[in-house]
Amino acid sequence: MSGLIGKKVGMTSIFDENGKNIPCTVIEAGPCVVTQVRTEEVDGYNALQLGFDDAKTANKAAQGHAKKAGTVAKRKVVEFQDFEGEFKLGDAVTVDVFKEGQFVDVAGTSKGKGFQGVVKRHGFGGVGQSTHGQHNRLRAPGSIGAASYPARVFKGMRMAGQMGNERVKVQNLRVLKVVAEKNLLVVKGCVPGHKNSYVIIER
């Protein structure tokens, strides 16, 4: 599975040949440095470890690991198993591994929204749609369903709680444009995370 580490630049929209306006996300994808090569003989599996974005500070272990590849320590390091193509330690992997029209999966950390109620977190309807029978509390969850039997609340009950700030993968996003000279990848639709957050692009 080939892939790259990138940084979300932001969203925009472009027009296709039929004049349709398509929402899309711009990602700064690479260049990434090969910081380690995993092999079947030594590690039991084949993979490439890629590093992206120079770190301002790093401990001795990270500096020594990067020095073997002839580079500086990286802020984001990710492994991609069964990477297509032949790459050696210290090689640069650029956005050219993707082609226009391909479909990619993009994974990132979603925006954290803090502690939220059931209307925002789970889409409950509130008093207008009488989600759980409450009559005077607009956004309250209402009954949670327990009685003298089973005399407890089942695990997984949809209730208020912390929302967002979790790993999300969006699959089958079409690559609309590859701008190799600026290391930019334009994909259709939205990807998780805030601006300048790290994302992992796989194909």
Side-chain angles (χ1 to χ4, degrees):
M1 181 183 293
S2 299
L4 269 183
I5 311 168
K7 190 181 284 188
K8 181 177 176 179
V9 176
M11 291 197 70
T12 183
S13 61
I14 60 176
F15 291 94
D16 65 5
E17 60 278 2
N18 300 318
K20 186 178 180 182
N21 192 16
I22 303 174
C24 54
T25 305
V26 181
I27 302 171
E28 179 190 342
C32 298
V33 180
V34 179
T35 53
Q36 191 169 2
V37 179
R38 304 279 194 183
T39 60
E40 190 80 45
E41 298 78 34
V42 177
D43 304 287
Y45 64 99
N46 294 311
L48 280 189
Q49 187 188 88
L50 302 183
F52 175 69
D53 204 6
D54 295 348
K56 291 181 181 177
T57 59
N59 58 28
K60 291 283 188 180
Q63 291 175 19
H65 184 69
K67 192 174 182 180
K68 292 178 184 176
T71 184
V72 297
K74 302 296 181 181
R75 290 186 67 181
K76 186 73 172 175
V77 178
V78 177
E79 257 188 24
F80 295 88
Q81 289 197 26
D82 300 319
F83 205 96
E84 297 173 12
E86 293 294 324
F87 292 94
K88 303 187 299 295
L89 195 65
D91 284 355
V93 185
T94 64
V95 73
D96 293 327
V97 296
F98 300 108
K99 299 287 186 290
E100 290 184 15
Q102 279 183 336
F103 288 88
V104 296
D105 299 343
V106 181
T109 302
S110 62
K111 290 180 180 179
K113 299 183 184 299
F115 191 99
Q116 297 297 331
V118 291
V119 173
K120 185 180 179 81
R121 191 180 188 209
H122 298 296
F124 284 14
V127 77
Q129 298 176 32
S130 301
T131 308
H132 278 280
Q134 73 272 21
H135 61 93
N136 61 354
R137 299 178 306 286
L138 292 179
R139 302 172 74 90
S143 168
I144 54 175
S148 57
Y149 178 83
R152 65 188 177 89
V153 177
F154 289 114
K155 285 185 177 180
M157 181 70 65
R158 293 185 298 169
M159 301 172 78
Q162 202 276 332
M163 181 180 176
N165 193 33
E166 57 188 6
R167 182 183 166 90
V168 178
K169 178 184 279 191
V170 181
Q171 296 181 307
N172 296 325
L173 298 177
R174 185 156 55 89
V175 176
L176 299 176
K177 197 173 288 187
V178 178
V179 188
E181 58 273 14
K182 293 185 178 179
N183 300 309
L184 295 179
L185 192 69
V186 181
V187 297
K188 183 179 179 180
C190 55
V191 303
H194 54 77
K195 291 179 182 177
N196 292 323
S197 62
Y198 292 114
V199 294
I200 299 167
I201 311 130
E202 301 171 339
R203 67 170 174 84

